[in-house]
Each structure stands twice: as C-alpha cells, then as structure tokens.
Amino acid sequence: MANPKETYAPFSSFPNIEKCTSVGRQNDTVVTDMDGTLLCGRSPFPYFALVAYEASGILRLLFLLLASPIAGILRYFISESAGIRVLVFATFSGMRVSDIESVARAVLPKFYSSDLHPETWRVFSSCGKKCVITENPRIMVEAFLKEFVGADMVIGTEIVVHKGRATGFIRSPGVLVGQNKADALKMAFYDAPVPNIGIGDRRTDRPFMKLCKESYIVPSNSQVEPVGPKKLPKPIVFHDGRLVQKSTHLIALATLLWIPVGFILACLRLAAGALLPMPLVYYALWALGVRIHIKGTPPPPAKKSTGQAGVLFVCSHRTLLDPVFLSIALGRPIPAVTYSLSRLSEFISPIKTVRLTRDRVTDANMIKELLQEGDLVICPEGTTCREPFLLRFSALFAELTDELVPVAMANKMTMFHGTTARGWKGMDPFYFLMNPSPAYEVTFLNKLPYNLTCGAGKSSHSVANYIQRTIAATLSYQCTSFTRKDKYRALAGNDGTVVEEPKQARDEVMDS
C-alpha cells in the first residue's frame, strides 16, 4: 500500500469540526471515524492492550507490547493498514471470540467513555441517525458504540474466526482504511440517502468523507478536554476488568514490571492482617503502604455480661475487604455475613465469615444468633459497585435488629481493581493489595434513631432505603434501584453468556 500522505493529500480543504452547526440536525445522518475523531486519542494501542490483558493475561500483554514498536512504525510511516494488522494479530491470535466479546461489553466502555472528543460528540449526539466507521475490529467497539453512544450502525474491520477462536488475521476486503473505508460506507448506504455529515481526522479518511454532503476534520490537539462518561445517554454503572488506568505504552510497561513486586507486597500485607493482633494491624499496614482513614465515632463493643445484643454495622460494598477494614478501624475483629465468598478468601480472612444460605428464614435466624454473640457486619447491596453509585439495599437486615449503625466505605486504587465478575474472585484481595498505595476510608455514621427502625413501626423497606440514602449522601454517591441481578446481566461471564442469579436470590431483593 502506498504512503497515505502521498495518496490522499491535500486534506486541509475540509473545514474544522468547530464550524459544524449542531442545531436542527434531528433528521440528519452523521458518519464519523473513531480514533482521533470520536475519541480524543489517536492511538488504538491502549484498547488493544486492555483486551490483551483482560482476556488473555500478562503474557499476551507482554507480546503486544513487544510488537507495538513494529506496529507503530508501519502505521505512521509505511502503511496504516499493516500497523493495524500487527496489533490485531498480537492481540487476538488464538483468543476465544467469547472472551473478546465479554471484554468489549464489560471492560472497554468505561475507558472509551472517558475519551470522547467534545466537538465531535456535540455534532454526533445532535444527529438523528449515527454511524461509526473505523479501522478497529468491529467485535471490539460495537458494544460500546451501540449501547452507550447510541450509534445506529457500526462498520469496522472484520477478523477471521475458526472454531470459536480468532486467528489473528483480517477478513476481506481487509482493514478499513482509505478506499476500503469508502467502499464499506457505499455498501452500507447503497439503498439509503447520502449521509449528511462526514467527520474524520486523517488523510486516509478523505475517501469516505468525500461521499458525504458535508465533511469536517478534527484537528490533532493533545490539550483538548474529553467529554467524560457523564454526558453519555446511558450511565456506566457496572464495569469489569482488573486495570484501573488506560494502558498506554508506558503504563503497560509499568504494570508488567510491577506485578511480581506487587504480588510479594500483597502477600506481606495479607500476612500482617492475618497474623498480627487486630489492634496492631492498622500500624503494620500503614508501614506497608496501605492508608486507612477513619471518620466518625463508632459505638463501644457490646457487653455480653449485661445481655446486650450486638450492633449490626450496615456497610456500602466496594470490595470483599470491606468487613476487614471495618474491623481494623474498630481495632477488634467483627464477624461478617456474606452471600458468596471463595474458599481462598475464606481461608486468608482475619475475621470470621458466615455464609448465608439465601433461604430467608434460615438466614434471619442465623443473623439473630450471631447478634446475640456480639457485633456483626453486613453489606446489604449484595455485590460490589465501583462507580459512585449505591445499589439497592436488601431489606432483610432491618427486620432483625434495631441496633443499626450505617458505615460509609470508600477506597482508592491506582493500578488494579480489587473486584471482578468475570475472573477468579479468590484473587480479589490480592489485586487490591497489589496496588502501590491502596487506601480505604471508613466513616462511621450515627446509630439509627429508634423512631426510624422497624421496632417503631417503620417498614423494613423504608429503613433500608433511608440507610442507603444516608450513606449515599455521606459519600456524594447516587442511589439506584439496581440489584445484584442487574450487575450480572450487564457483565458477561467468561463463556460470553449473561450470568443469572438463582430465582430464590432474586426474590429476596426488596422492591423500590
């Protein structure tokens, strides 16, 4: 393929995207490129790196990182198509298609949504019919573009699949750059009116832009401020994956170098929590780089000699370590009840954990018995949420005691997320503690007044909703009616299918 700079120049004849009006476009059709146009970033490497790591692991990310210099030289100096082919092969070869689809649906939207170009988004969101045409593999971008951006049509490069696995090669007619992109657009709009607006950012976009009634360029500007996910038609409440940051070349290299160091550090931190007396754990973790910030005044421990029942700490749920950090903040181990916990997490836990059966009567009796023995902690959301949202609180806890203390839990991770829906949950504590300097903030709120409890005649649902709103206000989070079921509907399992909760568990979730 010839050098794109020679084939498609001049390009500057198209007006700047800022000159495109977004008023009265409800009946217009817009066609836009993706990297550097709809997105601020011009390089597709960070998103290929996310797929490589999340779907295949550390060795695949290393292979992609080693191949990226070749891809970059080809893409920017010889052939854009050849550069994309190298990235596709290094990332996808031998990978299960179901894994690619799962990452595309559960991981990539969070990162794509944080990189939307403000001017392109202004025009794109104002049009009635939206089409995105891109050199990226369609399987990688379609879920985000259709579900969260509102694209009606996604035209992308197609990969070769054999027996459910990607071969790493590209289907005919090849990578959608240059004339291939224009031909694909002609085919898609064969029986439809000519698109009103075409938006691109490079000379190889010129052929498809010439097919549109109006064409605009998006100039390269590293200082432009992305729109951010709050402007999307649909909020991203649930997402998956281990990596916190978008994997640029430098971040990918830093991640690869840190993982062995971080794993050793996580083991030391876990050992400190499991082997030291609880009053000393706070100081040991602080020395090992874990920051724990405690706010509010917790109640004193229950006195069994006086027959006083224990307090039920009602926590927001960020990771499996919430009850552990609450115990560290209190300086004494507090048992926790949980719906699901891996055997490994149970084994390494420094506090007592009790599995709930999902049978309402059995679980209620079990919690009452535990409260007679002392304090207890519960996370009524039933599952974790990473974003500034609180899921709907199950109402069961409110029926069992009037001694309720809300606790707002928040954490900070800079490299790895300490939760997963697709991966092995037994590694969640390790990943959280593998962060260079993870932090937890534990805020004890005032004990619920008696006149707001079930003992005073309030319904369990109203008590649960009140505590949810109180914690949300403390954290500046937004309350939702989403449940555990909604989370697992949104995040696909490793086989590409949607994970459903047992009906019995769904029935236990309170109504709005």
Side-chain angles (χ1 to χ4, degrees), residues 3 20 30 86 119 135 146 158 161 184 188 253 297 369 484:
N3 189 316
C20 180
V30 60
V86 171
E119 287 298 319
E135 66 273 15
K146 286 191 171 181
E158 299 292 342
V161 176
L253 177 60
T297 305
E369 290 179 6
R484 178 184 176 91

Side-chain angles (χ1 to χ4, degrees), residues 39-300:
L39 303 179
C40 295
R42 296 173 62 88
S43 171
F45 172 83
Y47 307 103
F48 280 96
L50 285 166
V51 176
Y53 183 80
E54 303 293 357
S56 193
I58 185 173
L59 294 180
R60 175 76 68 164
L61 179 59
L62 176 60
F63 180 45
L64 176 63
L65 190 61
L66 293 174
S68 63
I70 300 173
I73 292 171
L74 290 173
R75 186 167 187 259
Y76 292 106
F77 298 104
I78 300 176
S79 164
E80 186 175 355
S81 174
I84 295 295
R85 286 178 183 273
V86 171
L87 291 178
V88 169
F89 183 82
T91 304
F92 292 157
S93 57
M95 191 178 290
R96 290 188 300 182
V97 172
S98 60
D99 288 341
I100 302 171
E101 292 173 339
S102 183
V103 172
R105 179 167 48 250
V107 179
L108 294 184
K110 170 65 177 177
F111 296 93
Y112 279 135
S113 66
S114 300
D115 198 29
L116 291 172
H117 195 287
E119 287 298 319
T120 307
W121 178 249
R122 174 181 61 82
V123 176
F124 185 84
S125 60
S126 67
C127 293
K129 187 174 182 180
K130 307 173 182 67
C131 173
V132 178
I133 185 165
T134 175
E135 66 273 15
N136 290 313
R138 179 186 55 81
I139 190 175
M140 196 170 88
V141 302
E142 188 172 41
F144 165 70
L145 293 173
K146 286 191 171 181
E147 185 173 354
F148 294 100
V149 173
D152 301 287
M153 184 186 304
V154 177
I155 307 170
T157 299
E158 299 292 342
I159 62 173
V160 177
V161 176
H162 180 67
K163 294 183 178 181
R165 291 185 179 270
T167 63
F169 298 108
I170 304 297
R171 282 172 51 184
S172 178
V175 178
L176 294 192
V177 296
Q179 190 58 44
N180 282 350
K181 191 175 286 187
D183 293 342
L185 187 63
K186 287 180 184 177
M187 186 175 298
F189 284 82
Y190 180 77
D191 293 325
V194 175
N196 301 90
I197 305 173
I199 310 174
D201 71 295
R202 65 198 72 187
R203 289 179 173 83
T204 51
D205 291 333
R206 183 181 177 88
F208 96 82
M209 293 169 66
K210 290 172 62 177
L211 300 176
C212 304
K213 295 179 181 178
E214 306 172 42
S215 298
Y216 300 89
I217 60 170
V218 178
S220 176
N221 183 3
S222 60
Q223 303 301 318
V224 68
E225 188 71 24
V227 169
K230 291 184 179 180
K231 296 290 185 179
L232 293 177
K234 177 181 176 182
I236 297 178
V237 179
F238 303 118
H239 61 92
D240 203 21
R242 292 295 191 185
L243 299 180
V244 172
Q245 301 184 61
K246 186 168 67 173
S247 292
T248 63
H249 292 83
L250 185 60
I251 291 176
L253 177 60
T255 301
L256 290 170
L257 295 175
W258 175 258
I259 284 177
V261 178
F263 183 76
I264 295 172
L265 186 58
C267 291
L268 291 174
R269 291 165 171 173
L270 284 169
L275 301 177
L276 293 176
M278 193 59 72
L280 299 180
V281 173
Y282 175 90
Y283 303 101
L285 290 182
W286 189 274
L288 290 170
V290 181
R291 299 294 177 252
I292 307 171
H293 306 285
I294 306 168
K295 298 181 180 180
T297 305

Side-chain angles (χ1 to χ4, degrees), residues 489-504:
R489 279 182 172 173
L491 304 178
N494 286 331
D495 60 354
T497 59
V498 173
V499 180
E500 290 281 2
E501 269 199 312
K503 183 178 185 300
Q504 183 179 9

